[in-house]
Amino acid sequence: MAEQVLDSVRSKYGSMAESSLSNDHAGVKAVAEAFGYSAEELTSIPAGANMGLSCGNPTATAHIRAGEVVVDLGSGGGLDVFLASKMVGPSGRAIGIDMTPAMIDRARTNAHAGGYSNVEFYQSTIDQIPLPDSSVDCVISNCVLNLAPDKRAVFGEIARVLKPGGRVAVSDIALKHELPEAVARSMAAYVGCIAGAISIDEYRSGLIAAGLEHVQIVDSGADLNAYAKVENQAGCCSPSMETGSPFQVVSEPCCAPTKEAVPSFHDELSTLLSQYDINAAAASVKVYAIKPVTAA
């Protein structure tokens, strides 16, 4: 089942990587700005690094300093890696990890076009990070941990690669309430960043079990409907928020099918999200944690 999930995620995000979506698309830019990126940040990096897939801006809260080593789990087109590279400067490194070959190719193309000399991209799943123990000052991620089938393995890898005193600054999707069964059982909803999400309490306990401390998970209050700003996008999206019942049926899907996506997944996801207000159950969260300086 886990391999089926990973294959589905690779297929979807491979299609995204090969699409023409970029910061030059007004809707893509609007999504990023809705989740905390400034116009200045977005224009400072290659346009193709942003595909409207974010659910937050981890670099804004990671307190990244010059000379540090920062790793981005699920780095996509390189958006957060490129922003981090400016913060760590020539004496630091910004490293992207992504399991989708087309995403790695797109990120490396963006890096070459932007003339970045302190960035690296590696193809790997995030439950097997190809970095040495205690080699990273800060782990960031943006709407990706929810896609990992084995989240406890990911939390363990984060703790392993962090230096003592190193920190986690992640933007992700987590659950406030149980999802409707039709959504929870949908592979399309999993690939669409929803069904694979765990509860806020599970997220917290998983990080603590991995040996991290000072764990904070904060609901950003961001409206997940922002994904609908990208016309014909196959990324994560949700319907218009309504008041009343937590899973009130809404009348229109948030986004239309795209020729650049994997039709079967996107069609099913659009149908599901036209029926349920996912904002009632899911939230964009900011996740913080620190690796202890000394072992307990």
Side-chain angles (χ1 to χ4, degrees):
M1 181 62 182
E3 193 57 40
Q4 180 186 358
V5 168
L6 291 177
D7 286 345
S8 298
V9 172
R10 284 192 189 97
S11 177
K12 177 211 173 175
Y13 285 96
S15 295
M16 296 295 291
E18 293 169 353
S19 77
S20 61
L21 290 171
S22 78
N23 201 58
D24 292 333
H25 186 298
V28 169
K29 183 179 179 182
V31 168
E33 290 179 343
F35 287 115
Y37 293 94
S38 68
E40 291 74 20
E41 285 176 316
L42 296 174
T43 56
S44 72
I45 60 174
N50 176 27
M51 288 171 276
L53 301 175
S54 305
C55 63
N57 178 2
T59 62
T61 56
H63 304 288
I64 297 169
R65 297 180 288 268
E68 290 191 320
V69 176
V70 177
V71 62
D72 179 17
L73 302 184
S75 50
L79 169 59
D80 294 313
V81 172
F82 298 136
L83 291 176
S85 77
K86 297 177 183 294
M87 299 173 182
V88 300
S91 61
R93 286 192 300 156
I95 302 169
I97 310 293
D98 203 286
M99 72 172 184
T100 306
M103 280 294 187
I104 292 293
D105 290 344
R106 181 163 178 154
R108 288 173 175 165
T109 297
N110 290 332
H112 178 75
Y116 292 89
S117 59
N118 63 344
V119 305
E120 304 166 32
F121 293 96
Y122 298 103
Q123 183 185 337
S124 175
T125 56
I126 60 175
D127 59 353
Q128 295 181 322
I129 302 173
L131 297 173
D133 296 357
S134 304
S135 62
V136 174
D137 295 290
C138 184
V139 172
I140 62 175
S141 187
N142 197 340
C143 212
V144 172
L145 271 62
N146 63 75
L147 295 169
D150 189 349
K151 293 172 180 59
R152 287 190 177 271
V154 175
F155 296 152
E157 280 291 271
I158 290 172
R160 179 185 67 79
V161 301
L162 278 174
K163 299 175 183 178
R167 62 201 183 278
V168 176
V170 166
S171 296
D172 209 358
I173 301 292
L175 300 182
K176 300 177 287 186
H177 307 289
E178 287 188 12
L179 292 167
E181 184 177 359
V183 178
R185 294 173 62 85
S186 167
M187 181 63 72
Y190 195 111
V191 176
C193 311
I194 299 167
I198 57 177
S199 72
I200 291 173
D201 287 343
E202 287 179 281
Y203 218 125
R204 182 182 295 105
S205 64
L207 290 168
I208 292 171
L212 301 173
E213 61 183 14
H214 303 298
V215 177
Q216 297 183 50
I217 301 177
V218 180
D219 186 340
S220 71
D223 183 1
L224 297 181
N225 295 307
Y227 293 117
K229 294 177 183 290
V230 183
E231 296 176 3
N232 298 327
Q233 177 182 289
C236 310
C237 57
S238 60
S240 299
M241 182 176 288
E242 301 286 345
T243 58
S245 168
F247 299 114
Q248 181 170 347
V249 173
V250 290
S251 59
E252 296 295 335
C254 65
C255 44
T258 172
K259 295 179 181 178
E260 294 175 330
V262 181
S264 60
F265 286 118
H266 186 246
D267 291 348
E268 183 184 346
L269 182 60
S270 293
T271 299
L272 284 171
L273 297 183
S274 69
Q275 300 170 356
Y276 300 100
D277 176 11
I278 303 303
N279 284 279
S284 166
V285 295
K286 300 176 183 179
V287 181
Y288 309 92
I290 296 176
K291 182 174 180 177
V293 175
T294 56

PDB file of all heavy atoms in Angstrom, residues 3 178 263:
ATOM      1  N   GLU A   3       3.875   1.592  -1.156  1.00  0.00           N
ATOM      2  CA  GLU A   3       4.501   1.788  -2.463  1.00  0.00           C
ATOM      3  C   GLU A   3       3.498   2.320  -3.477  1.00  0.00           C
ATOM      4  O   GLU A   3       3.841   3.144  -4.336  1.00  0.00           O
ATOM      5  CB  GLU A   3       5.098   0.470  -2.957  1.00  0.00           C
ATOM      6  CG  GLU A   3       6.026   0.632  -4.152  1.00  0.00           C
ATOM      7  CD  GLU A   3       7.178   1.594  -3.891  1.00  0.00           C
ATOM      8  OE1 GLU A   3       7.737   1.572  -2.781  1.00  0.00           O
ATOM      9  OE2 GLU A   3       7.513   2.371  -4.815  1.00  0.00           O
ATOM     10  N   GLU A 178     -11.752  14.431  12.299  1.00  0.00           N
ATOM     11  CA  GLU A 178     -11.732  13.328  11.351  1.00  0.00           C
ATOM     12  C   GLU A 178     -12.314  13.765  10.007  1.00  0.00           C
ATOM     13  O   GLU A 178     -13.253  14.563   9.955  1.00  0.00           O
ATOM     14  CB  GLU A 178     -12.544  12.142  11.885  1.00  0.00           C
ATOM     15  CG  GLU A 178     -11.864  11.400  13.014  1.00  0.00           C
ATOM     16  CD  GLU A 178     -12.610  10.131  13.373  1.00  0.00           C
ATOM     17  OE1 GLU A 178     -13.513   9.736  12.603  1.00  0.00           O
ATOM     18  OE2 GLU A 178     -12.297   9.539  14.418  1.00  0.00           O
ATOM     19  N   PRO A 263      -5.360  12.891 -15.009  1.00  0.00           N
ATOM     20  CA  PRO A 263      -6.800  13.145 -14.970  1.00  0.00           C
ATOM     21  C   PRO A 263      -7.552  12.350 -13.922  1.00  0.00           C
ATOM     22  O   PRO A 263      -8.415  12.877 -13.246  1.00  0.00           O
ATOM     23  CB  PRO A 263      -7.248  12.786 -16.391  1.00  0.00           C
ATOM     24  CG  PRO A 263      -6.031  12.967 -17.221  1.00  0.00           C
ATOM     25  CD  PRO A 263      -4.892  12.559 -16.356  1.00  0.00           C
TER      26      PRO A 263
END
